[in-house]
Amino acid sequence: MMKFATTKNEIIECFNVLSLLRPQLSLDEFLSSVERMSESTGYKLAYLVEGEIRAVAGIRISEWLHTGKYLEIEELITNERERSKGYGGQLFDWILEYAKEEGCNQVRLVSGVTREKAHQFYLNKGMKFEAKYFSINVP
């Protein structure tokens, strides 16, 4: 079953999986970040649960002038013990349907250059590599 984490306990349960992808965050930092981003940008935690949480995604809807409304996948991670069982794919497919229901033109994500298995997953799901991402740390 797909759900949005709306209670503190659900968010904490999502942290237990999401911390595999974001190990630099403590639980307290995670809770305050999720609360702040939810209020300021509409960030949501979506998760697939079958007895326990199998996969988690952080998503938000935004808009750009050149492409219109889109859904951004900020994080997508499957519980380590449950990888290659289709849970990440189920959550991804659900996110696509949610984006369609919300009137989005596109689903996007940014993935670190070293995450080759993730890149293959996204390509297998029909995503295209269409941009390069640049950044600079502010001194």
Side-chain angles (χ1 to χ4, degrees):
M1 170 184 359
M2 305 297 175
K3 295 180 73 176
F4 283 114
T6 57
T7 69
K8 185 175 181 179
N9 285 341
E10 289 172 327
I11 294 168
I12 290 170
E13 287 182 45
C14 287
F15 172 77
N16 294 331
V17 175
L18 203 58
S19 63
L20 298 169
L21 186 62
R22 305 284 184 243
Q24 77 281 9
L25 292 175
S26 70
L27 176 58
D28 288 339
E29 291 170 320
F30 178 75
L31 288 169
S32 64
S33 294
V34 167
E35 181 180 352
R36 183 180 62 256
M37 293 186 319
S38 295
E39 291 173 4
S40 65
T41 68
Y43 179 87
K44 295 181 180 186
L45 285 170
Y47 64 97
L48 185 155
V49 63
E50 285 186 10
E52 64 179 312
I53 293 180
R54 308 296 180 159
V56 176
I59 62 173
R60 74 179 87 216
I61 294 175
S62 193
E63 195 166 2
W64 282 4
L65 289 174
H66 78 285
T67 56
K69 192 174 179 182
Y70 68 94
L71 185 146
E72 178 91 21
I73 299 173
E74 300 286 329
E75 293 87 21
L76 178 61
I77 185 79
T78 300
N79 187 324
E80 209 163 32
R81 298 180 314 275
E82 305 298 338
R83 295 204 176 132
S84 299
K85 296 181 181 177
Y87 295 117
Q90 289 177 47
L91 183 54
F92 184 91
D93 293 345
W94 181 86
I95 290 168
L96 286 179
E97 281 301 311
Y98 178 73
K100 184 178 180 180
E101 290 169 9
E102 293 295 314
C104 296
N105 298 320
Q106 192 175 55
V107 171
R108 300 185 179 149
L109 61 86
V110 174
S111 183
V113 296
T114 61
R115 299 192 65 232
E116 304 236 347
K117 286 184 180 179
H119 302 162
Q120 193 57 54
F121 170 83
Y122 300 131
L123 291 169
N124 290 343
K125 282 299 196 176
M127 295 192 92
K128 297 181 294 184
F129 176 63
E130 62 180 23
K132 291 196 178 200
Y133 174 88
F134 298 92
S135 69
I136 188 169
N137 291 337
V138 178

